[in-house]
């Protein structure tokens, strides 16, 4: 089967997701300005330990090979290790994303003993000043301490994960050097206007020139991971590594801390809510949810129909369009040819939806005053 | 992890799907995931999935191909198995 027909097949959906993200909690001890899930306060309706274990059993039965655990800060949950151990015992691999604040020496040692576990430590700048502007005072030092502890505990290769902003995209070589120092893998992802990201996206998303530079940098480094984030840049020429399609509801999916199932981690909004695992379990939502069925229908290229690069970029990211107030048939707001910017500029009224659930803390507290 | 990947793949030897690999059926074939090296591989036909599943039941790869694959298709399937082998999905 040629690659393109495999991609068509993917667009019609799979028996189970490949990339399932499960956010364990909305609680977080940081308050990053671009948080995709507007996290901060725990939601009292979050899944209990036994509900969470039942969900893991279902994930194992569906042969979902691994689950991406995020939050909030997943390590804030008291049953964090219990759940991770429950998953890996059934060979459901865990890839979890953390701000690193809870990885002290003891936690690092415990993490190092678990098979099938990958860790991503998030930073948003190659130095404290750049990072802490987004993630809060003291957060860079905390993340570096976590990395040091993982190294001391012989965890092995972990990942350093960075969201590309107008500032961090200027530090690519520094991130690469930092990853090399730790023997870590570097993972770069796209800033989307989701959650609190909506508030900062205008000022922080990379410029078109920066996008082009990032594309060239990534093309030369196929080993840098991107989670398929930057496929809109593939319109510039040779495709980047990955499937180069929007997998929302087809190969990608999010389960949020209260068990709500959304099409992707970047669309926490009623419009993309497919159901809840508490009703009939996750498999029922995945295979029969009305929203997912409609996402698996062929999409119209809309305004992108006449673009010679449509096959490479497929009109870009649904979340980025939705939260900037564009239509699904409009080009991506960061379309490499500037069509998205023009589409935004011509809208008389751009209604920019906000993520429906918002768990931001009402007063943000700096890390240093809390630890 | 996969010491096998440094060995050479040859049809006269016994190979089987590594015990570290899980297969999940899909309409196009199957997904294969290696829990050790974390590689995800797409098996793009049902026949290939069947071959990979049953490979271990035969004394060697040739015998499996004789039984499960037509002679015109043989070269394609050898190439597919060799690429699975390079990804560490097969063990001796
Ligand atoms: S016009 Fe549409 S398909 Fe073409 S590059 Fe822009 S977003 Fe992608
Ligand atoms: S909506 Fe955007 S972030 Fe979500 S799967 Fe599609 S391309 Fe990826």
């Amino acid at each position: 089967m040629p690659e393109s027909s495999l991609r068509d097949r993917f667009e019609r959906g799979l028996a189970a997701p490949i990339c399932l993200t499960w956010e364990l909690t909305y609680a977080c001890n940081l308050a990053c300005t671009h948080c995709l899930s507007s996290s901060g306060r725990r939601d009292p309706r979050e899944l209990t330990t036994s509900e969470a274990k039942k969900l893991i059993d279902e994930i194992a039965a569906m042969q979902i090979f691994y689950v991406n655990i995020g939050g909030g800060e997943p390590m804030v949950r008291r049953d964090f290790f219990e759940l991770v151990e429950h998953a890996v015992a059934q060979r459901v691999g865990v890839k979890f994303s953390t701000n690193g604040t809870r990885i002290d020496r003891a936690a690092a040692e415990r993490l190092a003993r678990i098979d099938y576990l990958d860790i991503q430590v998030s930073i948003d700048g190659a130095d404290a000043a750049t990072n802490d502007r987004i993630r809060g005072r003291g957060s860079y030092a905390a993340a570096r301490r976590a990395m040091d502890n993982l190294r001391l505990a012989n965890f092995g290769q972990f990942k350093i994960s960075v969201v590309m902003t107008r500032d961090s995209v200027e530090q690519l070589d520094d991130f690469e050097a930092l990853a090399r120092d730790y023997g870590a893998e570097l993972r770069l992802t796209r800033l989307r206007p989701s959650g609190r990201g909506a508030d900062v996206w205008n000022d922080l998303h990379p410029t078109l020139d920066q996008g082009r530079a990032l594309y060239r940098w990534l093309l030369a480094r196929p080993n840098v991971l991107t989670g398929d984030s930057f496929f809109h840049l593939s319109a510039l020429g040779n495709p980047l590594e990955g499937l180069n399609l929007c997998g929302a509801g087809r190969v990608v999916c999010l389960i949020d801390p209260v068990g709500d199932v959304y099409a992707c981690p970047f669309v926490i909004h009623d419009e993309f809510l497919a159901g809840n695992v508490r009703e009939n379990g996750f498999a029922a939502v995945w295979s029969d949810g009305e929203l997912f069925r409609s996402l698996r229908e062929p999409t119209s290229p809309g305004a992108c129909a006449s673009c010679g690069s449509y096959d490479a970029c497929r009109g870009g990211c649904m979340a980025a369009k939705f939260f900037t107030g564009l239509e699904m048939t409009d080009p991506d707001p960061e379309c490499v040819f500037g069509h998205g910017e023009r589409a935004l500029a011509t809208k008389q009224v751009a209604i920019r939806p906000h993520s429906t659930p918002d768990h931001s803390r009402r007063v943000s507290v700096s890390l240093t005053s809390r630890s | 992890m996969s010491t096998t990947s440094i060995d050479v793949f040859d049809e006269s030897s016994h190979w089987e799907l590594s015990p570290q690999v899980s297969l999940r059926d899909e309409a196009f074939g199957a997904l294969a995931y290696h829990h050790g090296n974390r590689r995800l591989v797409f098996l793009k036909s049902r026949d290939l999935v069947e071959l990979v599943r049953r490979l271990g039941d035969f004394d060697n790869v040739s015998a499996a191909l004789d039984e499960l694959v037509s002679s015109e298709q043989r070269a394609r399937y050898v190439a597919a198995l060799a690429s699975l082998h390079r990804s560490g999905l097969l063990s001796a």
Side-chain angles (χ1 to χ4, degrees):
Chain A
M1 230 195 259
E3 280 310 316
S4 62
S5 69
L6 186 61
R7 183 160 81 169
D8 291 346
R9 191 48 250 176
F10 279 11
E11 291 192 333
R12 277 177 273 137
L14 297 186
I18 294 178
C19 184
L20 171 65
T21 299
W22 177 18
E23 298 188 339
L24 283 190
T25 177
Y26 279 119
C28 191
N29 53 347
L30 297 188
C32 306
T33 58
H34 62 0
C35 179
L36 74 160
S37 56
S38 303
S39 284
R41 290 168 293 127
R42 195 182 86 83
D43 191 305
R45 300 165 303 158
E46 289 179 7
L47 299 185
T48 64
T49 304
S50 70
E51 285 175 319
K53 284 187 171 169
K54 234 176 77 190
L55 178 57
I56 293 168
D57 298 342
E58 202 187 357
I59 288 171
M62 289 173 79
Q63 288 193 285
I64 296 171
F65 307 125
Y66 58 86
V67 48
N68 304 292
I69 284 186
E73 169 51 48
M75 292 184 78
V76 164
R77 259 189 87 125
R78 261 184 235 118
D79 55 7
F80 170 76
F81 277 103
E82 190 180 342
L83 296 180
V84 169
E85 280 156 4
H86 187 76
V88 299
Q90 306 180 64
R91 285 231 291 195
V92 175
V94 170
K95 305 189 179 196
F96 93 93
S97 189
T98 174
N99 60 32
T101 52
R102 295 286 173 104
I103 305 185
D104 57 14
R105 271 310 290 280
E109 309 253 331
R110 185 159 180 192
L111 291 166
R113 283 196 296 273
I114 304 176
D115 269 346
Y116 306 141
L117 176 75
D118 294 324
I119 301 184
Q120 290 172 20
V121 182
S122 301
I123 51 174
D124 282 305
D127 51 72
T130 311
N131 177 83
D132 291 7
R133 264 204 300 283
I134 290 182
R135 305 186 64 83
R137 196 149 52 91
S139 61
Y140 182 78
R144 291 294 301 269
R145 257 192 319 273
M147 295 179 203
D148 292 339
N149 287 332
L150 289 171
R151 173 155 64 186
L152 285 169
N154 287 318
F155 176 82
Q157 194 172 46
F158 57 90
K159 299 182 179 98
I160 298 176
S161 192
V162 189
V163 174
M164 287 290 98
T165 65
R166 212 162 283 185
D167 299 323
S168 64
V169 77
E170 297 293 336
Q171 302 180 317
L172 291 172
D173 294 332
D174 300 332
F175 292 121
E176 189 178 39
L178 183 71
R180 199 181 313 118
D181 266 5
Y182 281 106
E185 284 182 290
L186 180 61
R187 179 172 189 271
L188 306 179
T189 58
R190 181 174 176 190
L191 173 71
R192 278 112 176 169
S194 317
R196 285 195 295 268
D199 306 331
V200 296
W201 186 83
N202 269 344
D203 297 329
L204 288 186
H205 77 86
T207 63
L208 290 182
D209 282 338
Q210 287 177 322
R212 272 190 287 273
L214 172 62
Y215 168 76
R216 285 191 296 271
W217 196 88
L218 287 171
L219 213 50
R221 291 167 183 79
N223 290 331
V224 171
L225 307 168
T226 61
D228 222 2
S229 293
F230 297 108
F231 67 91
H232 66 297
L233 298 177
S234 291
L236 288 165
N238 291 327
L240 296 169
E241 291 285 307
L243 292 171
N244 287 299
L245 60 87
C246 167
R250 303 156 176 142
V251 293
V252 174
C253 180
L254 169 78
I255 303 174
D256 94 336
V258 304
D260 280 340
V261 180
Y262 294 94
C264 116
F266 295 93
V267 289
I268 302 185
H269 187 283
D270 285 348
E271 190 129 344
F272 300 98
L273 175 61
N276 188 292
V277 301
R278 278 184 169 126
E279 291 146 21
N280 297 306
F282 172 63
V285 183
W286 176 260
S287 49
D288 300 324
E290 212 176 302
L291 171 77
F292 286 175
R293 282 167 177 270
S294 73
L295 285 173
R296 293 166 195 163
E297 295 290 318
T299 45
S300 126
C304 297
S306 58
C307 172
S309 298
Y310 181 73
D311 200 45
C313 137
R314 301 267 160 148
C317 169
M318 179 178 83
K321 296 188 221 196
F322 181 74
F323 286 115
T324 49
L326 289 169
E327 306 296 327
M328 291 305 119
T329 48
D330 278 330
D332 189 287
E334 293 179 277
C335 164
V336 297
F337 303 121
H339 298 311
E341 282 182 358
R342 279 189 288 278
L344 275 175
T346 56
K347 290 251 178 289
Q348 296 291 341
V349 231
I351 300 180
R352 301 184 52 170
H354 237 268
S355 289
T356 327
D358 185 347
H359 295 81
S360 303
R361 269 186 260 115
R362 288 179 188 103
V363 195
S364 63
V365 202
S366 87
L367 176 65
T368 34
S369 66
R370 288 170 57 87
S371 52
Chain B
M1 260 187 295
S2 61
T3 49
T4 54
S5 58
I6 52 168
D7 303 335
V8 215
F9 176 73
D10 91 85
E11 288 171 54
S12 60
S13 311
H14 171 91
W15 291 99
E16 60 186 19
L17 193 62
S18 158
Q20 291 256 69
V21 174
S22 299
L23 285 183
R24 181 173 100 203
D25 288 321
E26 288 289 349
F28 61 84
L31 295 175
Y33 182 71
H34 190 295
H35 293 271
N37 69 22
R38 318 288 205 253
R39 287 234 177 103
L40 181 67
V41 176
F42 308 110
L43 305 185
K44 296 181 214 165
S45 83
R46 289 286 174 91
D47 295 340
L48 178 60
V49 178
E50 164 92 359
L51 172 64
V52 165
R53 275 221 166 89
R54 294 184 48 196
L55 199 57
D57 301 341
F58 294 86
D59 292 340
N60 54 51
V61 174
S62 280
L65 292 165
D66 290 344
E67 169 124 1
L68 298 171
V69 170
S70 69
S71 51
E72 311 84 80
Q73 297 279 0
R74 195 177 175 108
R76 277 184 58 208
Y77 282 90
V78 172
L81 290 176
S83 102
L84 293 178
H85 170 261
R86 275 194 303 278
S87 304
L89 269 69
L90 303 183
S91 57

